[in-house]
Amino acid sequence: MSVTDRTIVLAGATSDSGLALARALSEAGARVVATGRSADRLEPLRAVGAEVEVADATSLDSMTDLAARLGAVDAVIPLVGGWRGGGGLAGQSDADFTALLPALEAVRATSRAFDTALRASDAGRFAIVSSTAVGRPLAGGANYAAVKAASEAWTRAVAQGFAKAARDAAEPLRAASVVFRAKALDPASLVPRVLALWDVDATDLNDQIITLD
């Protein structure tokens, strides 16, 4: 299997990681579709070879509309993130929690909107970027760790859904859902791991939690 000629959606891709992934995947021969809410912020992604779509990765309606227009899709990677924390447990404000929720909302919206397309692909991939904070949550980052933990739980549920659909259809498992964990996300560590998603059979990859270097 290869990433070449695959259609890959980077949802909420206007971060440094989104730009690095768009460049690397385009150079590897993939069709990259990058989404964001600002046309201006999407221009750097267009410049490295991605198709760009002004769309809200946290909105099921927006992602469903995009999925219908794109048709066949081989991978979806939601990249909505951000950090709000500090101040111990007493400092975990409702405002900070609300500000962090879009990361979870993007995981939910994208996985639901593209579920059929990913299961139809001969090598569908769904991957999120989480944090090592899930394994060792601290009081000052409780909001952040809670949102990341919920995102991981949802992504593992996607993995179970892929496996169940394959069993029910008496077909081999072709789609995989994966969690990447990082202490501090470095695009240089994320990019090769994403490119390698097609180096491993879905049976061995599905429901894996992979810690980035």
Side-chain angles (χ1 to χ4, degrees), residues 7-9 31 33 53 63-76 113-121:
T7 298
I8 300 171
V9 176
R31 174 196 180 197
V33 180
E53 293 276 352
M63 290 295 100
T64 299
D65 176 70
L66 179 62
R69 288 189 285 110
L70 291 179
V73 168
D74 299 293
V76 177
F114 289 95
D115 182 63
T116 299
L118 293 177
R119 288 191 287 109
S121 169

Side-chain angles (χ1 to χ4, degrees), residues 107 111 115 118 126 153-163 176-177 206:
V107 172
S111 62
D115 182 63
L118 293 177
F126 182 77
W154 187 278
T155 303
R156 297 192 68 190
V158 173
Q160 192 276 334
F162 286 163
S177 179
N206 195 39

Side-chain angles (χ1 to χ4, degrees), residues 126-160:
F126 182 77
I128 72 162
V129 179
S130 184
S131 171
T132 54
V134 173
R136 189 174 182 273
L138 303 177
N143 278 334
Y144 178 76
V147 169
K148 290 297 187 183
S151 297
E152 288 196 11
W154 187 278
T155 303
R156 297 192 68 190
V158 173
Q160 192 276 334

Side-chain angles (χ1 to χ4, degrees), residues 1 31 40 60-61 72 82 87 89 104 106 110 132 138 141 145 160 178 189 196:
M1 293 183 290
R31 174 196 180 197
D40 289 342
L60 178 59
D61 288 344
L89 201 64
L104 172 60
T110 55
T132 54
L138 303 177
Q160 192 276 334
V178 179
S189 65

Side-chain angles (χ1 to χ4, degrees), residues 2-3 8 20 23 34 68-69 71 93-94 104 141 148 151 183 187 207:
S2 169
V3 70
I8 300 171
R23 178 185 291 111
R69 288 189 285 110
S93 71
D94 289 348
L104 172 60
K148 290 297 187 183
S151 297
K183 183 176 182 179
D207 201 24

